[in-house]
Amino acid sequence: MKVPFPAYNPNPNLKPASAYEPKSVLDLRGSPSPVADLKPASILEDHVLITPQLDDWDSLMRDLGLHDDPNPVSKPFPQPDPTLPDFPPANSFDESAQFVASDFGLLPDIQPYTQNPNPIGSLTDVGFDYVDELIRLAECFETNSIQLGQVILARLNQRLRSPSGKPLQRAAFYFKEALQSLLTGSTQNSEIIQTIKAHKTFSSISPIPMFSSFTANQAVLDAVDGSTHVHVVDFDIGLGGHWASFIRELSEKSENSRRPALRISALVPEDYAAQTRLISESLTQFARELSIGFEIDFIAIRTFEYLSFKSIKFLEGEKVAVLLSPAIFRQVGSGFLNDLRRVAPQVVVVQVDGEGQMGFGTASYRQAVIEGLEVYSTLLESLEAANFSNCGGEWMRKIEEFVVYPKIVEAAGRRGAAWREAMVAAGMRQVGMSQFAEFQAECLLRRVQVRGFHVVKRQAEMLLCWHDRPLVATSAWRF
């Protein structure tokens, strides 16, 4: 039995390398298991895929006063209110909702959701009623039906009590929590140490972070080829680990030339002080070991919103590259692209993860939930298929809590310009990725040895897919 979501197919001409026949990721089938019949990477591939691991981060965190709790008590999600009465079975929800809503004077004539025109089909199959109710909750944001939303949310808290079950159910739980945070105005607790550890584990078991790092780094290296002074403006630096491999590449490419220098201007939230210190200390130390001139500046996103590129220092003789993610369009709009032309970057690299694939630019909470369930259940399914023998279920939970859930929070409440259309309107055109970037990606997947991941090229864009579903994409743009 399949959940009636349409198969994701943004381009019918997209030809994945795998012979796997596309099926809905929301189908209740088991994830493919890791296979061991793939050939190990060659010596050349091992060289290509070297990524310096900043294993001394633990000592750096201690030096910066960031101490880990050896016995953390994690309560990231509120538990259902025990004072709330139990709700009737799911199949009687429509009738009970009518009575409660009428008591509040809300929408006295509520029709079952599946009776309305619905492009994704019926969602009333037994066991998937929570999807129907989650979409109803999203619609309450669009109609400003706050009280009805609270009624539906109370029911979902009874139905989805914890992030357990199959990938679709866990994704639904996280979207429920994200919508609840929007409804109540609650903020997300930031546990820096646990977040760092979860990201490091995620990078060690999934090809997604390394794919994004390799493809983006190679696009920048291709664009600034031959330059010993490089300036990168990074709109989504995260924890900065992806720049370690870039520093290594700069060092190796300039063995017989002048001492290379790298400057990074990173846009960060205002509450990012601890992370910026950690990023600065770790990358500065790594660059010093490789005799690379290195400087990093952090610019608050709010400052950039008012000053645009005047908030960033540019020097003569540097080649400039820009790294973007669609999230910046939600934060500051798209007007900065007009100022970007005056900066004259060698390349603008766009990295798109699940959030960026979710119809960015739409004003519909409903559409965000529908597309988000598909995107993030795909991501969770791909994580299940990875080899967790060295990690265990506890680390799976931490990856979901500290890596996946924050992205879902952003995705559920996002508003932003359609980034691709905005870049074209600003006068940019997409350029192809190099063959070496494609080679690196293929080598990476041979090392992962999990059947289901594959690389495809869609026009000038390079995508990492889990079966027929894109997980992340990298593209390069120029004026």
Side-chain angles (χ1 to χ4, degrees):
M1 178 182 67
K2 293 183 180 180
V3 182
F5 275 57
Y8 180 87
N9 186 16
N11 186 344
N13 296 322
L14 184 149
K15 301 295 185 183
S18 171
Y20 174 87
E21 182 178 351
K23 297 179 181 178
S24 173
V25 65
L26 302 181
D27 192 353
L28 289 184
R29 55 181 173 78
S31 299
S33 301
V35 293
D37 57 346
L38 299 178
K39 296 181 179 179
S42 66
I43 296 176
L44 172 62
E45 292 166 354
D46 286 337
H47 173 74
V48 170
L49 293 171
I50 287 177
T51 300
Q53 299 294 324
L54 303 179
D55 293 327
D56 53 354
W57 272 33
D58 290 338
S59 62
L60 281 170
M61 288 187 287
R62 286 193 296 271
D63 294 341
L64 295 171
L66 301 174
H67 302 289
D68 193 11
D69 183 354
N71 298 299
V73 178
S74 178
K75 294 182 179 180
F77 305 112
Q79 299 299 311
D81 189 343
T83 64
L84 288 173
D86 287 335
F87 285 80
N91 55 12
S92 63
F93 170 66
D94 292 311
E95 182 180 355
S96 61
Q98 289 182 25
F99 283 111
V100 177
S102 62
D103 291 340
F104 284 109
L106 301 168
L107 302 177
D109 185 21
I110 300 179
Q111 296 299 320
Y113 182 80
T114 53
Q115 292 183 9
N116 297 328
N118 184 0
I120 65 171
S122 172
L123 290 171
T124 56
D125 293 330
V126 176
F128 296 102
D129 52 284
Y130 57 84
V131 176
D132 193 15
E133 294 173 23
L134 192 61
I135 296 173
R136 279 173 168 260
L137 176 59
E139 289 181 329
C140 288
F141 285 88
E142 298 175 13
T143 60
N144 201 30
S145 304
I146 304 302
Q147 290 177 306
L148 179 58
Q150 292 172 337
V151 172
I152 298 174
L153 181 60
R155 175 172 181 79
L156 282 170
N157 279 331
Q158 296 287 338
R159 182 70 175 83
L160 299 171
R161 293 174 177 265
S162 64
S164 59
K166 291 184 178 292
L168 173 60
Q169 185 169 346
R170 301 203 305 278
F173 172 84
Y174 292 122
F175 266 95
K176 183 262 295 183
E177 292 294 323
L179 292 175
Q180 178 167 281
S181 69
L182 293 176
L183 193 63
T184 62
S186 60
T187 57
Q188 190 179 351
N189 292 329
S190 176
E191 300 184 40
I192 297 174
I193 304 300
Q194 294 299 324
T195 298
I196 290 172
K197 288 186 174 182
H199 274 276
K200 290 176 70 176
T201 305
F202 180 46
S203 297
S204 68
I205 63 176
S206 171
I208 294 173
M210 200 171 291
F211 173 88
S212 297
S213 174
F214 283 157
T215 52
N217 286 354
Q218 192 58 46
V220 175
L221 287 168
D222 291 339
V224 302
D225 186 37
S227 176
T228 57
H229 289 74
V230 179
H231 182 191
V232 180
V233 181
D234 193 343
F235 283 81
D236 191 9
I237 194 168
L239 295 174
H242 53 288
W243 289 117
S245 58
F246 187 85
I247 291 172
R248 169 68 62 84
E249 288 291 335
L250 274 184
S251 175
E252 293 179 350
K253 285 181 175 293
S254 57
E255 290 179 350
N256 300 321
S257 61
R258 296 190 307 166
R259 180 173 180 254
L262 170 65
R263 285 203 312 123
I264 298 176
S265 298
L267 275 71
V268 295
E270 292 186 345
D271 58 348
Y272 221 59
Q275 291 92 327
T276 58
R277 287 190 299 161
L278 183 61
I279 294 167
S280 179
E281 290 287 340
S282 59
L283 291 180
T284 299
Q285 176 180 316
F286 187 71
R288 186 183 302 119
E289 294 172 355
L290 295 178
S291 299
I292 297 288
F294 180 75
E295 179 183 336
I296 185 167
D297 296 317
F298 298 97
I299 300 95
I301 291 176
R302 182 175 296 182
T303 301
F304 181 83
E305 186 176 3
Y306 286 103
L307 299 179
S308 188
F309 288 97
K310 293 179 180 178
S311 61
I312 299 175
K313 179 176 64 176
F314 294 95
L315 301 178
E316 290 278 345
E318 291 180 326
K319 287 192 175 180
V320 178
V322 176
L323 263 68
L324 290 176
S325 74
I328 193 62
F329 293 93
R330 180 191 68 251
Q331 295 164 333
V332 303
S334 59
F336 73 94
L337 292 177
N338 297 322
D339 300 326
L340 182 59
R341 178 184 288 274
R342 290 191 287 273
V343 175
Q346 303 296 121
V347 68
V348 178
V349 180
V350 181
Q351 293 181 294
V352 180
D353 59 9
E355 181 188 357
Q357 297 176 37
M358 292 166 48
F360 214 86
T362 180
S364 170
Y365 286 95
R366 174 183 182 274
Q367 195 64 24
V369 168
I370 292 173
E371 295 177 0
L373 286 175
E374 179 107 20
V375 169
Y376 285 100
S377 61
T378 299
L379 174 59
L380 296 180
E381 184 179 322
S382 73
L383 287 174
E384 283 189 351
N387 185 359
F388 280 89
S389 59
N390 297 323
C391 303
E394 178 64 16
W395 276 111
M396 178 68 166
R397 185 190 65 79
K398 289 184 180 294
I399 291 172
E400 292 184 9
E401 179 180 335
F402 294 105
V403 178
V404 179
Y405 176 62
K407 290 182 176 294
I408 290 178
V409 171
E410 294 181 2
R414 86 225 186 293
R415 291 293 181 271
W419 67 269
R420 195 182 300 271
E421 289 79 357
M423 295 183 72
V424 172
M428 279 185 274
R429 58 182 176 83
Q430 204 168 342
V431 296
M433 305 286 290
S434 68
Q435 290 185 342
F436 189 65
E438 185 176 0
F439 171 71
Q440 284 183 314
E442 294 290 353
C443 292
L444 170 63
L445 297 191
R446 280 195 284 272
R447 287 173 61 97
V448 172
Q449 297 189 9
V450 179
R451 191 181 302 278
F453 287 108
H454 58 95
V455 177
V456 299
K457 294 185 71 174
R458 184 174 62 195
Q459 298 176 352
E461 191 173 35
M462 189 174 296
L463 302 94
L464 176 65
C465 298
W466 172 249
H467 294 304
D468 60 322
R469 303 298 200 287
L471 290 172
V472 288
T474 303
S475 57
W477 299 70
R478 292 178 185 167
F479 284 101

